[in-house]
Amino acid sequence: MGPEITQREGGVQTDRKWAQTGAASASSQEPLETSVRRAGHGAGPLQGRGFQAGGGREPLVPAGPRLPRRRRRRGHEAEAEERVPRLLPGVDRRPPLRAGAARLVQKAELVRLSQTLSLVPRLHWLLVEDAEGPTPLVSGLLAASGLLFTHLAVLTPKAQRLREGEPGWVRPRGVEQRNRALDWLRSGGGAVGGEKDPPPPGTQGVVYFADDDNTYSRELFEEMRWTRGVSVWPVGLVGGLRFEGPRVQDGRVVGFHTAWEPNRPFPVDMAGFAIALSLLLAKPNARFDATAPRGHLESSLLSHLVDPKDLEPRAANCTRVLVWHTRTEKPKMKQEEQLQRQGRGSDPAVEV
């Protein structure tokens, strides 16, 4: 994503390995989700986003280690979480950072996202950090989050990084990180923290690429759980419009409400779709293309997976907005810079 894997606590057992729950009853329909996110270099999360299985009944359950200070579930909560933990990946599209530079709002955005994800049952956070290796800030935040997570890291190549003063739309962002998340889901390897092994064959899940600066309703994650192939919904405050999203007639997607290049193969925002894990695994060549033209990054992946006519409308036939493309204002540091020139700057040992 964004794809990114993020957790949701639930179904975590003393053994870290993934466990199979056995056959599900025909009346049980609880797919699972996965979310991936990319963290900016120096101190931020992966932008990413989650995954949900297509079409099964009870999925395999990813069993993770019991994390310290995790609130113990009792009664039906514990039983439900033990039966069907879900996966959700999230990927971060933030502009890549210069080596050694930390995005000041990185921790704030990760804290906000992690606390939103903590409200989502049965979720696994796959966070891909834009860095050569894990940074203490991101590693510490993940460890303290109480979420089931996998931490990956890959640095955006210099040729793909934004230059000073370039607008964010000039280059596709988060491509290496999302593709690294997809690689982990398909074959594993390279995890620098958290759950090391990918879900075993047959695991049901839904992959969603979540940005760190978006705003998410909990309802969105429940909507995407029933994804069979690729599900879609509107995104608020994006593309210069109140919302962008699919147009639906008789339960089928017949077009898209958008202002920017409406003839794109898939004129959707990264936050506006989720993919069944089984479909991603069945299409190993489906990846994001770093050379895709502006606005075509989503299409570069989705074109390998589904025809537009087969998209699955969610959120009341795409009439409800459950995710918003909000942005964190870049902090103004003039006073900080002035104090630093006077030798009285804020204590750098205090993590912000």
Side-chain angles (χ1 to χ4, degrees), residues 117-181:
L117 296 177
S118 70
L119 303 173
V120 182
R122 296 168 295 280
L123 183 142
H124 183 141
W125 192 6
L126 174 54
L127 186 151
V128 187
E129 188 170 1
D130 187 354
E132 293 179 346
T135 61
L137 186 151
V138 177
S139 297
L141 188 145
L142 286 171
S145 70
L147 298 171
L148 178 64
F149 69 89
T150 294
H151 188 182
L152 303 168
V154 59
L155 186 66
T156 298
K158 185 177 181 180
Q160 296 180 24
R161 289 183 174 274
L162 288 174
R163 274 72 164 178
E164 188 70 32
E166 281 186 335
W169 50 262
V170 169
R171 306 171 193 276
R173 295 169 290 168
V175 178
E176 294 296 320
Q177 289 73 32
R178 292 189 184 93
N179 285 337
R180 181 67 189 87

Side-chain angles (χ1 to χ4, degrees), residues 117-352:
L117 296 177
S118 70
L119 303 173
V120 182
R122 296 168 295 280
L123 183 142
H124 183 141
W125 192 6
L126 174 54
L127 186 151
V128 187
E129 188 170 1
D130 187 354
E132 293 179 346
T135 61
L137 186 151
V138 177
S139 297
L141 188 145
L142 286 171
S145 70
L147 298 171
L148 178 64
F149 69 89
T150 294
H151 188 182
L152 303 168
V154 59
L155 186 66
T156 298
K158 185 177 181 180
Q160 296 180 24
R161 289 183 174 274
L162 288 174
R163 274 72 164 178
E164 188 70 32
E166 281 186 335
W169 50 262
V170 169
R171 306 171 193 276
R173 295 169 290 168
V175 178
E176 294 296 320
Q177 289 73 32
R178 292 189 184 93
N179 285 337
R180 181 67 189 87
L182 294 176
D183 290 342
W184 184 85
L185 288 172
R186 288 162 173 156
S187 57
V192 296
E195 179 69 38
K196 298 299 196 299
D197 299 327
T203 299
Q204 296 185 10
V206 169
V207 180
Y208 179 61
F209 300 94
D211 291 345
D212 53 0
D213 58 352
N214 282 354
T215 299
Y216 302 93
S217 168
R218 283 183 295 175
E219 291 182 74
L220 177 66
F221 299 97
E222 294 306 314
E223 288 286 325
M224 72 176 69
R225 287 189 192 278
W226 312 105
T227 302
R228 303 296 184 255
V230 177
S231 57
V232 290
W233 47 79
V235 178
L237 310 179
V238 67
L241 300 174
R242 293 178 60 243
F243 69 91
E244 281 188 340
R247 292 189 292 105
V248 178
Q249 182 176 327
D250 298 326
R252 299 179 67 90
V253 174
V254 295
F256 297 88
H257 174 65
T258 183
W260 171 258
E261 289 195 18
N263 294 324
R264 286 174 288 162
F266 292 87
V268 296
D269 184 77
M270 193 69 69
F273 65 90
I275 305 169
L277 175 61
S278 56
L279 178 59
L280 279 173
L281 298 182
K283 303 283 187 177
N285 295 324
R287 298 171 64 82
F288 291 101
D289 183 2
T291 65
R294 176 187 176 189
H296 288 250
L297 187 60
E298 295 85 352
S299 297
S300 72
L301 174 71
L302 295 175
S303 294
H304 291 283
L305 299 173
V306 68
D307 290 327
K309 64 181 178 60
D310 295 323
L311 293 171
E312 304 161 27
R314 302 298 306 173
N317 277 330
C318 297
T319 62
R320 297 188 63 209
V321 173
L322 301 174
V323 55
W324 295 261
H325 205 278
T326 49
R327 297 178 181 274
T328 304
E329 181 181 4
K330 184 178 180 179
K332 297 177 175 60
M333 292 286 108
K334 290 185 177 180
Q335 300 303 320
E336 180 68 40
E337 293 167 1
Q338 180 177 342
L339 289 182
Q340 286 181 357
R341 287 192 294 269
Q342 299 171 4
R344 299 188 297 119
S346 301
D347 185 350
V350 176
E351 186 178 87
V352 175

